[in-house]
C-alpha cells in the first residue's frame, strides 16, 4: 500500500515521464513509488538524505535521476550494460537506473555502511535483482570493470576521476551529474588530472527550476571537448 503522503504522486510521475519522452515506462511507476516509500520510511533511522519532504524527494531525487535515462538510452542502446554508481548514498541514480533498465547490472558503491544496507533493503523489497551494493572506499576497491561509471553530486570532477577512474572497463565511460555547468571544476580537472569534459548535456528535470547537466569525461585530450 502506498503511503497517503504520496497522494497525487502517480499523476506527477506520469507527467514527468511524458515530459522526458518516457511514456513507455509508465508501468514502472509503482516501483518508483515503492522506492520513494522506502526512502521516506528509512530516512529518519539511516539519515539517507537531508531532504525530508516526500514531495521534494520526488523532484530532487527521483525526477533528477530519471532525467538522465533518455540520454543514456540514446547513447548506449545495447543491452546488458554494467553500471557503477559512485557515492550512491540512497541509491541515486543507481536504483532508478536499475528500475528503468532491468537488463543493466548496477553496482551502488558507498563508504557509509547504513546507506549500502538501505540499498540492499530497498532492492530486496522492490524485487530488483539487477542491483547490488558495495560498502567501502571507492579508491581502495578493485576495479568493477563498469561500462558506465557515474556519480551524482558526489565530488569535484578531479576527485571523481582520481578515486573512480580505475573502475572503468576498457572502452568504458565516466559520467558526472552536476548542477550548473561547473566551469572552474572543468579547468581544475584538466590541470590536475589531464582529463577533459568531452561532452556536456543540459538536463531538463521535471518540476525543477535549477539547472542540471550530465558531463562525459575523457582522458584522451582536448579534441571534441565542449
Amino acid at each position: 500500500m502506498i503511503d497517503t503522503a504520496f497522494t497525487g504522486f502517480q499523476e506527477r510521475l506520469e507527467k514527468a515521464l511524458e515530459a522526458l519522452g518516457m511514456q513507455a515506462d509508465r508501468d514502472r511507476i509503482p516501483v518508483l513509488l515503492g522506492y520513494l516509500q522506502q526512502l521516506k520510511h528509512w530516512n529518519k533511522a539511516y539519515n539517507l538524505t537531508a531532504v525530508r519532504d516526500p514531495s521534494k524527494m520526488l523532484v530532487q531525487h527521483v525526477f533528477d535521476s530519471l532525467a538522465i535515462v533518455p540520454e543514456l538510452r540514446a547513447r548506449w542502446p545495447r543491452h546488458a550494460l554494467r553500471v557503477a554508481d559512485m557515492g550512491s548514498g540512497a541509491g541515486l541514480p543507481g536504483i532508478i537506473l536499475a528500475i528503468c533498465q532491468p537488463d543493466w547490472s548496477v553496482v551502488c558503491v558507498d563508504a557509509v555502511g547504513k546507506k549500502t544496507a538501505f540499498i540492499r533493503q530497498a532492492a530486496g523489497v522492490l524485487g530488483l535483482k539487477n542491483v547490488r551494493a558495495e560498502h567501502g572506499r571507492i579508491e581502495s576497491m578493485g576495479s568493477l570493470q563498469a561500462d558506465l561509471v557515474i556519480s551524482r553530486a558526489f565530488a569535484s570532477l578531479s576527485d571523481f576521476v582520481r578515486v573512480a577512474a580505475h573502475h572503468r572497463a576498457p572502452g568504458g565511460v565516466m559520467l558526472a551529474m552536476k548542477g550548473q555547468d561547473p566551469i572552474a571544476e572543468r579547468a581544475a580537472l584538466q590541470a590536475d588530472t589531464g582529463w577533459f569534459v568531452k561532452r556536456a548535456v543540459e538536463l531538463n528535470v521535471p518540476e525543477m527550476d535549477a539547472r542540471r547537466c550530465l558531463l562525459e569525461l575523457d582522458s584522451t585530450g582536448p579534441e571534441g571537448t565542449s
Side-chain angles (χ1 to χ4, degrees):
M1 181 180 296
I2 296 298
D3 195 312
T4 55
F6 299 158
T7 301
F9 283 19
Q10 175 160 336
E11 182 179 356
R12 290 170 66 187
L13 265 166
E14 288 175 354
K15 290 180 178 178
L17 291 174
E18 183 176 359
L20 293 169
M22 296 174 61
Q23 296 92 326
D25 292 275
R26 289 183 62 179
D27 61 340
R28 307 191 196 281
I29 287 176
V31 187
L32 292 167
L33 289 176
Y35 167 74
L36 199 59
Q37 187 172 19
Q38 289 292 306
L39 182 59
K40 175 179 178 288
H41 177 73
W42 290 103
N43 196 37
K44 287 185 179 179
Y46 283 9
N47 193 29
L48 301 165
T49 171
V51 180
R52 304 293 180 183
D53 179 0
S55 182
K56 292 181 179 178
M57 287 179 179
L58 179 68
V59 177
Q60 296 180 28
H61 294 325
V62 177
F63 289 177
D64 188 51
S65 296
L66 283 172
I68 67 172
V69 173
E71 173 66 17
L72 299 188
R73 286 175 172 173
R75 291 290 307 284
W76 295 280
R78 70 179 179 84
H79 297 302
L81 283 182
R82 296 163 296 176
V83 179
D85 176 13
M86 298 300 179
S88 186
L92 297 160
I95 283 186
I96 304 302
L97 295 180
I99 292 171
C100 294
Q101 296 293 138
D103 52 341
W104 291 4
S105 176
V106 180
V107 182
C108 296
V109 182
D110 205 278
V112 180
K114 62 185 178 180
K115 293 183 177 180
T116 52
F118 167 76
I119 292 168
R120 294 187 188 103
Q121 161 75 17
V125 169
L126 300 174
L128 299 175
K129 300 186 183 301
N130 60 330
V131 176
R132 83 173 195 266
E134 291 285 348
H135 171 225
R137 296 184 64 83
I138 296 167
E139 63 271 29
S140 302
M141 290 182 176
S143 177
L144 293 172
Q145 292 293 294
D147 301 304
L148 302 181
V149 179
I150 193 166
S151 70
R152 173 181 178 267
F154 162 64
S156 70
L157 296 177
S158 295
D159 287 344
F160 177 41
V161 165
R162 287 193 189 102
V163 303
H166 72 287
H167 289 292
R168 288 185 308 158
V173 175
M174 295 193 70
L175 301 168
M177 297 174 67
K178 289 285 185 178
Q180 187 168 342
D181 198 345
I183 304 304
E185 285 190 30
R186 281 183 180 237
L189 175 69
Q190 180 174 345
D192 297 344
T193 69
W195 283 61
F196 303 84
V197 174
K198 181 177 181 180
R199 191 164 183 264
V201 178
E202 186 173 349
L203 301 172
N204 294 312
V205 181
E207 297 188 28
M208 184 183 289
D209 293 331
R211 299 182 66 179
R212 301 286 287 154
C213 66
L214 180 67
L215 306 179
E216 179 181 343
L217 310 183
D218 186 31
S219 62
T220 60
E223 296 83 11
T225 58
S226 42

